[in-house]
Amino acid sequence: MEPVAATMLPRALPILLLLAAAVTVSAERAPTLVFILAGQSNMGGRGGATVGDRWDGVVPPECAPSPRTLRLSPSLRWEEAREPLHAGVDIGNVVGVGPGMPFAHALLRSPACPRGAVVGLVPCAQGGTPIVNWTRGSEMYERMVTRARVAVAGTGRIAALLWFQGEADAMRREDAVAYAGRMEAFVRDVRRDLAMPNLLVIQVGIATAQNQGKWLDLVRKQQRAVRMPNLKYVDAMGLPLANDITHLTTQAQVRLGKMLADAYIATL
Ligand SMILES: *[C@@H]1O[C@H](CO)[C@@H](O)[C@H](O)[C@H]1NC(C)=O
């Protein structure tokens, strides 16, 4: 055995060192503040991804990667976050820039941000999903709760759920009128399943209806009617839209990210 071990060691050493380095890096890179991002396409991110069949690849400085911004990958590992944040999560769609990266950027730049904070983004959005696709027990809901639980298996805690959804509920009147009740049930269920009765939820007021649905105003009214403790509202109405008049542009997503960060910071 001894001669084998002796000859093995020099070859194995670099690998051992690499492994040790990887373990150290991942321990250092556990997030302290975890944010769940859920909803449909405007949360999934379509900035620069509404023309043709690919993302334009434009990453503004506010969306650039940083060692202090991680994302939970589709395979449930922490990695340095980069655009498109929802790659591999918002399945079957051309994904681009969403609000997550500029949100993290604005938060980390804020003097109110806890010192040494590492932001962990947990993308969970899926394009085209009405809120009934997010009821407890549904595929989207369970995927989100599973990812949220994995995300806080270490030392981090969930700081907020960022929710941008409702465009698909603006296509039929019966969905639009049911929106507030469904949203309240969703928030109640998430808080119970994560055992976080006071979980902060920041809801984005929708700016567009899917397929130019007729009930945009009604969904927006319902969104504002949701009254629950620790539920904040940020309005996307008025932000620049792409030519598809459904999706926020990259610059609009940068602005939305800042608005979401301001809403979160106001709770600190
Ligand atoms: C949304 O719900 C419909 C109807 O139950 C279902 O067919 C579809 O697969 C769901 N989509 C997702 C992404 O969960």
Side-chain angles (χ1 to χ4, degrees), residues 145-158:
V145 168
T146 298
R147 288 172 61 72
R149 286 186 179 136
V150 169
V152 290
T155 52
R157 64 179 182 87
I158 301 178

Side-chain angles (χ1 to χ4, degrees), residues 126 129 133 139-140:
Q126 177 64 47
T129 47
N133 274 125
E139 187 187 341
M140 288 301 106

Side-chain angles (χ1 to χ4, degrees), residues 19 42 57 60 65 116 125-126 152 157 165 169 181 204 206 235-236 243 245 252 260-261:
L19 278 175
N42 277 312
Q126 177 64 47
V152 290
R157 64 179 182 87
Q165 192 281 330
D169 295 281
V204 180
I206 59 170
D235 201 350
N243 286 339
I245 57 170
L260 287 165

Side-chain angles (χ1 to χ4, degrees), residues 22-176:
V23 168
T24 312
V25 166
S26 67
E28 273 173 11
R29 293 173 100 219
T32 59
L33 291 177
V34 170
F35 295 89
I36 312 301
L37 287 71
Q40 48 178 126
S41 56
N42 277 312
M43 179 57 86
R46 299 293 185 270
T50 52
V51 177
D53 58 0
R54 55 164 63 178
W55 174 47
D56 66 10
V58 174
V59 179
E62 296 92 338
C63 304
S66 135
R68 290 173 69 197
T69 306
L70 309 181
R71 85 150 186 169
L72 193 72
S73 75
S75 57
L76 305 175
R77 291 192 181 83
W78 289 112
E79 61 189 13
E80 195 168 281
R82 58 186 60 252
E83 299 287 9
L85 186 68
H86 272 78
V89 176
D90 187 343
I91 294 159
N93 297 306
V94 180
V95 285
V97 172
M101 293 298 287
F103 165 80
H105 180 90
L107 173 58
L108 287 166
R109 281 178 61 93
S110 165
C113 183
R115 272 180 83 108
V118 175
V119 173
L121 302 173
V122 184
C124 298
Q126 177 64 47
T129 47
I131 198 163
V132 292
N133 274 125
W134 293 86
T135 45
R136 190 165 191 268
S138 69
E139 187 187 341
M140 288 301 106
Y141 181 92
E142 297 304 327
R143 180 176 76 161
M144 178 186 68
V145 168
T146 298
R147 288 172 61 72
R149 286 186 179 136
V150 169
V152 290
T155 52
R157 64 179 182 87
I158 301 178
L161 163 66
L162 312 183
W163 178 252
F164 193 169
Q165 192 281 330
E167 295 93 332
D169 295 281
M171 295 194 290
R172 300 192 319 164
R173 190 173 190 280
E174 55 262 49
D175 288 327

